[in-house]
Amino acid sequence: MPSVSAKNIVKFYETKNDKIQALCGISFNVTKGELFGIIGPDGAGKTSLFRILTTLLLADKGAASVDGYDVVKDFKEIRKIVGYMPGRFSLYQDLTVEENLEFFATIFNTTIQQNYDVIKEIYIQLEPFKKRRAGKLSGGMKQKLALCCALIHKPSVLFLDEPTTGVDAVSRNEFWDMLKKLKQQGITILVSTPYMNEAALCDRVALMQLGKILSINSPAEIINQFKKDLFAVRSSKMLSLLNDLKNFNEVEDAYFFGAYHHVVMKHKNEEQDLKNYLSKYSNDNLEIKNIQPDIEDCFIELMKQSHEIELH
Amino acid sequence: MRTLRFLLQKEFKQIFRDKAILRIIFLVPIVQLLVLPWAADYEMKNINITVIDHDHSPYSRQLISKITASGYFILQNYTASYKEALIDIEKDKADIVLEIPASFQKNLITKNEAKLFIAVNAINGVKANLGGAYVSSIIQNFNQQVRMQWIQMPRFSPQLNIEVVPSNWYNPQMNYKYFMVPGILVILVTMIGSFLASLNIVREKEIGTVEQINVTPIRKYQFILGKLIPFWILGLIVLAIGLGISRFFYGIISAGSLWVVFGFAAVYLLAVLGLGLLISTYTVTQQQAMLISFFLLMVFILLGGLFTSIDSMPHWAQLVTRADPVSYFIEVMRMVILKGSGWADIKNQLLIVLGFAILLNGWAVVNYRKRY
């Protein structure tokens, strides 16, 4: 039995003279103990999907279950066994760290002591501030507290809606380390994020765009499926370089990527052609190297493909 | 039960931690109760009067001193002409102009009648009305006095006199404070109930905590009771403080049993809290909740009979006041505190307010959703 399953979920948001389709038939299964990532830009429908799975929102079509419980019929059961951490900090800012934790423990009919082992590793870092009000914590600490509160009843499935948005790089790495440890305790984790580089840290990843899932695969498999040649190109005039690249017939796609432009070629073995082409223009200090794609390149490719399909 | 107890504990912690809210709950009502009854006084004092005395006779002087000695009037100015007096009114220095014609005393003695002219500044309707009435009654009294001096007592009174001596029951000295303080107290209790309860719930929506709460096994009734009970208790505490102030500051000792007052207030607060809860289910931000509460409360107060008597409203407005829970509590407070009414006397009001409580809470509970 999958830990979380969604079948053809559709959700509309209706306004007075407009009907926006937020989710257009989402289906996936998450196995028990899996760290499942949902990656997509803002507005892809990640939060709507999470709200449906955590019984906060009713889907217009389709069915979903969490730990075998139907999200519509057995919502009461689901609320007992899932942990949910909304994208926005949603704890009581005027209660202390300890009081917040105690409050959530109590409403789940448990105590901090009873499930201390689940949160121990995370809570140890919060312990020095346990008498501080939650509103006065730093962003990273707030996020740790929110995670503790979502875990205090030992949930079997954990939903984390953009937990790393607006958090610094160090805290983000720490956070993913914590998730890996939680996974070892057998908790199924669904995490959504707009950061593509975080996808590599999940067991499996669903790429979402405009309410659709473009692909579901393990990060390694997604990279394997990228068959084209990829180059990183750099020169002293990056902007004109990008225009030059986009004007070249043999180039399928070119985009900013850190200090380089990444260039996807239409055909194999065209490095020399690219060099010849670029040297015709005033590109000083030209540097071209053949590179292995990382997951972000794959997503950009997938999104481009789906966009083209939509246009035709 | 454990969950509910913990919810209440959390709610009280939050209330007592928020210094601003605490002040609003306890300090503001006390200050209001100490200040407002003095302001909400219908008795008109300090009415400015300008006199044009063309006569300068003993009688005219007697009349003027009688008016100023009444304590209601301040002699603002003597002018030589009506034109000048009118300037006083235009500049808002005078509320009333009294013109005494040149032959006032002569006419009074020879013709047995004399004319006076009174002009009233009616910008402030209440002041004009009462001030005019006061002047007329003083002049009437003066008239009586003059007649008494001249009359040769016949065997029988030549004129049939019916003298009306009113006796004011329940508030013999017509002390406005006795009448206003219980009413103002009702408004304060109503504000604590409806405003704070609705704002508190909407705040949870606004800061997103309700999202987290909704994904827990907390039952709807637990959450709602956890929100209502604290404000129910606070409302009763404010009522107790208010009654203490009226006892020690205004000397208002309830003629009826305080059990009746608190018993009715307990039911009334349920209705008001239900209203707060209802508002919170229809609003998403504290601003919306605040404005709706404010407008509703304004209507409730003005229709509630605090400042104006419900009996003198037009018939349709009287019908509207029946849908105003505030009017019942004000009525009951006055009945119990001034008149000493007991359970049997307020039975109807109690049942109606209970009906409000059931209706408003039921509506709110149906409308309150944990998911959308």
Side-chain angles (χ1 to χ4, degrees):
Chain A
M1 179 186 75
S3 192
V4 178
S5 104
K7 274 191 207 81
N8 200 27
I9 289 184
V10 175
K11 177 73 193 174
F12 293 102
Y13 288 115
E14 257 171 275
T15 55
K16 220 182 226 165
N17 37 25
D18 209 4
K19 203 171 179 188
I20 299 155
Q21 192 164 14
L23 297 174
C24 337
I26 298 283
S27 306
F28 64 87
N29 285 321
V30 181
T31 49
K32 187 133 192 66
E34 197 176 9
L35 177 52
F36 189 82
I38 294 173
I39 316 281
D42 292 340
K46 304 188 295 289
T47 301
S48 298
L49 180 61
F50 271 34
R51 285 171 60 89
I52 287 170
L53 293 175
T54 51
T55 76
L56 287 170
L57 196 69
L58 288 170
D60 292 315
K61 262 183 229 152
S65 69
V66 177
D67 253 10
Y69 296 113
D70 186 83
V71 289
V72 180
K73 277 203 311 262
D74 312 316
F75 69 94
K76 279 184 187 157
E77 292 305 315
I78 292 181
R79 284 173 184 172
K80 284 180 199 159
I81 55 156
V82 304
Y84 175 48
M85 182 172 154
R88 196 166 137 220
F89 183 68
S90 304
L91 301 177
Y92 291 101
Q93 314 239 6
D94 45 358
L95 294 182
T96 65
V97 168
E98 207 179 15
E99 284 164 351
N100 264 304
L101 198 57
E102 212 173 320
F103 176 72
F104 283 100
T106 311
I107 57 180
F108 279 104
N109 262 317
T110 175
T111 58
I112 299 180
Q113 288 74 30
Q114 213 173 319
N115 290 327
Y116 190 67
D117 55 306
V118 187
I119 58 160
K120 193 177 158 201
E121 296 233 15
I122 311 161
Y123 191 60
I124 278 173
Q125 303 173 51
L126 281 168
E127 201 121 47
F129 311 106
K130 67 179 185 187
K131 296 280 176 217
R132 194 181 285 189
R133 301 215 181 145
K136 304 260 187 265
L137 291 174
S138 69
M141 284 292 173
K142 274 184 185 163
Q143 179 208 42
K144 281 180 192 126
L145 176 60
L147 186 60
C148 280
C149 289
L151 282 170
I152 191 62
H153 58 293
K154 214 173 186 172
S156 62
V157 185
L158 187 60
F159 291 92
L160 306 170
D161 191 6
E162 301 200 10
T164 52
T165 302
V167 177
D168 70 64
V170 179
S171 298
R172 265 161 68 181
N173 286 338
E174 256 178 44
F175 194 80
W176 280 96
D177 286 341
M178 289 189 292
L179 293 190
K180 276 181 197 150
K181 280 177 193 153
L182 288 173
K183 204 187 90 140
Q184 284 159 15
Q185 299 188 33
I187 299 173
T188 310
I189 303 173
L190 267 80
V191 56
S192 76
T193 173
Y195 303 119
M196 293 177 179
N197 55 351
E198 289 182 345
L201 304 165
C202 304
D203 293 336
R204 276 195 311 149
V205 182
L207 177 68
M208 245 181 120
Q209 193 185 31
L210 296 170
K212 289 193 192 89
I213 287 184
L214 303 183
S215 88
I216 303 179
N217 232 324
S218 68
E221 196 50 42
I222 289 176
I223 291 171
N224 275 343
Q225 282 176 356
F226 193 90
K227 299 288 188 214
K228 286 168 183 149
D229 269 0
L230 183 72
F231 295 98
V233 186
R234 185 161 77 163
S235 85
S236 48
K237 284 185 198 150
M238 292 299 274
L239 198 62
S240 65
L241 177 65
L242 189 65
N243 284 328
D244 294 340
L245 286 167
K246 281 189 172 163
N247 289 332
F248 189 32
N249 286 337
E250 294 302 314
V251 168
E252 186 174 303
D253 197 11
Y255 44 88
F256 283 105
F257 201 101
Y260 290 85
H261 293 318
H262 278 190
V263 184
V264 184
M265 303 303 290
K266 281 184 183 159
H267 308 290
K268 287 268 177 194
N269 307 321
E270 282 185 325
E271 187 169 0
Q272 200 50 47
D273 294 352
L274 184 65
K275 258 182 202 156
N276 294 341
Y277 169 78
L278 287 177
S279 54
K280 278 192 283 184
Y281 297 88
S282 58
N283 288 308
D284 307 327
N285 306 324
L286 193 67
E287 185 190 335
I288 300 179
K289 41 181 189 177
N290 195 343
I291 52 163
Q292 283 304 309
D294 79 1
I295 200 141
E296 207 163 335
D297 295 302
C298 305
F299 284 150
I300 290 169
E301 174 74 10
L302 282 168
M303 278 161 142
K304 196 176 153 70
Q305 279 170 11
S306 90
H307 189 63
E308 270 158 14
I309 290 166
E310 221 149 85
L311 285 181
H312 291 303
Chain B
M1 253 350 256
R2 195 173 90 99
T3 311
L4 183 59
R5 211 178 59 219
F6 206 81
L7 276 169
L8 291 177
Q9 207 179 324
K10 169 218 138 209
E11 216 54 60
F12 274 114
K13 243 183 221 165
Q14 285 184 303
I15 292 167
F16 282 101
R17 218 162 260 182
D18 190 337
K19 293 283 174 293
I21 288 283
L22 213 55
R23 262 178 237 138
I24 291 170
I25 294 175
F26 292 108
L27 218 59
V28 173
I30 292 174
V31 172
Q32 291 198 333
L33 212 49
L34 290 180
V35 173
L36 287 185
W38 298 94
D41 192 333
Y42 290 142
E43 266 188 72
M44 271 299 151
K45 288 200 175 114
N46 307 330
I47 303 166
N48 294 313
I49 188 164
T50 290
V51 176
I52 315 144
D53 187 356
H54 299 296
D55 197 31
H56 297 290
S57 62
Y59 272 147
S60 74
R61 243 166 282 137
Q62 243 179 57
L63 176 61
I64 293 164
S65 67
K66 197 171 170 64
I67 288 171
T68 49
S70 69
Y72 293 106
F73 296 94
I74 294 173
L75 187 58
Q76 165 65 26
N77 200 2
Y78 272 112
T79 55
S81 70
Y82 179 67
K83 254 188 192 160
E84 285 170 73
L86 205 59
I87 290 171
D88 275 357
I89 284 197
E90 278 166 1
K91 288 188 176 163
D92 212 20
K93 282 184 187 160
D95 301 307
I96 290 181
V97 171
L98 173 67
E99 189 174 16
I100 304 170
S103 46
F104 175 67
Q105 182 170 339
K106 196 180 99 195
N107 286 347
L108 198 60
I109 292 170
T110 56
K111 294 186 184 163
N112 257 344
E113 62 171 34
K115 281 184 175 144
L116 288 169
F117 173 77
I118 300 171
V120 183
N121 178 2
I123 289 260
N124 181 338
V126 179
K127 208 170 185 181
N129 212 346
L130 285 171
Y134 290 163
V135 176
S136 313
S137 76
I138 290 169
I139 293 170
Q140 202 115 57
N141 196 277
F142 174 77
N143 188 17
Q144 209 83 36
Q145 227 177 323
V146 172
R147 285 172 56 126
M148 288 293 279
Q149 286 173 4
W150 298 344
I151 278 171
Q152 299 275 319
M153 273 296 178
R155 282 254 301 274
F156 303 103
S157 176
Q159 196 182 13
L160 282 175
N161 265 334
I162 299 176
E163 198 183 357
V164 181
V165 183
S167 143
N168 300 315
W169 277 68
Y170 309 122
N171 189 358
Q173 280 145 15
M174 289 284 270
N175 187 337
Y176 271 104
K177 285 173 196 74
Y178 285 11
F179 178 69
M180 292 306 292
V181 171
I184 290 172
L185 194 50
V186 167
I187 302 300
L188 293 177
V189 171
T190 310
M191 280 173 66
I192 298 281
S194 69
F195 262 53
L196 289 180
S198 67
L199 285 184
N200 189 293
I201 299 170
V202 175
R203 193 172 70 139
E204 295 239 6
K205 275 194 201 174
E206 212 175 58
I207 60 177
T209 46
V210 81
E211 189 90 323
Q212 191 92 61
I213 294 281
N214 283 348
V215 194
T216 65
I218 278 192
R219 306 289 301 274
K220 194 153 114 174
Y221 82 89
Q222 287 171 328
F223 183 76
I224 290 176
L225 282 180
K227 286 291 176 198
L228 296 192
I229 292 173
F231 294 101
W232 187 77
I233 294 172
L234 286 173
L236 290 177
I237 291 175
V238 167
L239 180 65
I241 295 175
L243 287 172
I245 291 178
S246 16
R247 166 80 177 77
F248 294 107
F249 248 86
Y250 297 104
I252 302 170
I253 300 167
S254 176
S257 158
L258 283 181
W259 288 112
V260 180
V261 174
F262 277 96
F264 189 86
V267 177
Y268 173 77
L269 271 168
L270 287 182
V272 171
L273 287 167
L275 179 70
L277 185 66
L278 185 62
I279 292 172
S280 77
T281 61
Y282 279 104
T283 51
V284 210
T285 64
Q286 294 189 60
Q287 211 170 18
Q288 293 170 351
M290 185 91 131
L291 283 173
I292 292 181
S293 309
F294 188 76
F295 283 124
L296 278 180
L297 209 64
M298 186 107 153
V299 173
F300 282 170
I301 291 172
L302 290 180
L303 284 178
L306 175 64
F307 299 111
T308 46
S309 168
I310 290 177
D311 296 327
S312 59
M313 291 178 190
H315 184 66
W316 61 266
Q318 291 191 29
L319 291 180
V320 177
T321 65
R322 291 195 194 153
D324 176 1
V326 175
S327 72
Y328 295 100
F329 195 23
I330 291 181
E331 195 183 350
V332 166
M333 278 287 258
R334 286 174 177 163
M335 279 169 76
V336 177
I337 290 180
L338 297 181
K339 202 173 170 185
S341 303
W343 288 115
D345 306 303
I346 63 158
K347 196 179 68 204
N348 281 339
Q349 284 91 336
L350 191 66
L351 286 175
I352 291 168
V353 170
L354 188 67
F356 272 116
I358 293 167
L359 177 78
L360 290 169
N361 283 296
W363 185 356
V365 168
V366 168
N367 204 43
Y368 177 88
R369 284 177 297 176
K370 267 182 95 171
R371 64 163 147 190
Y372 299 88

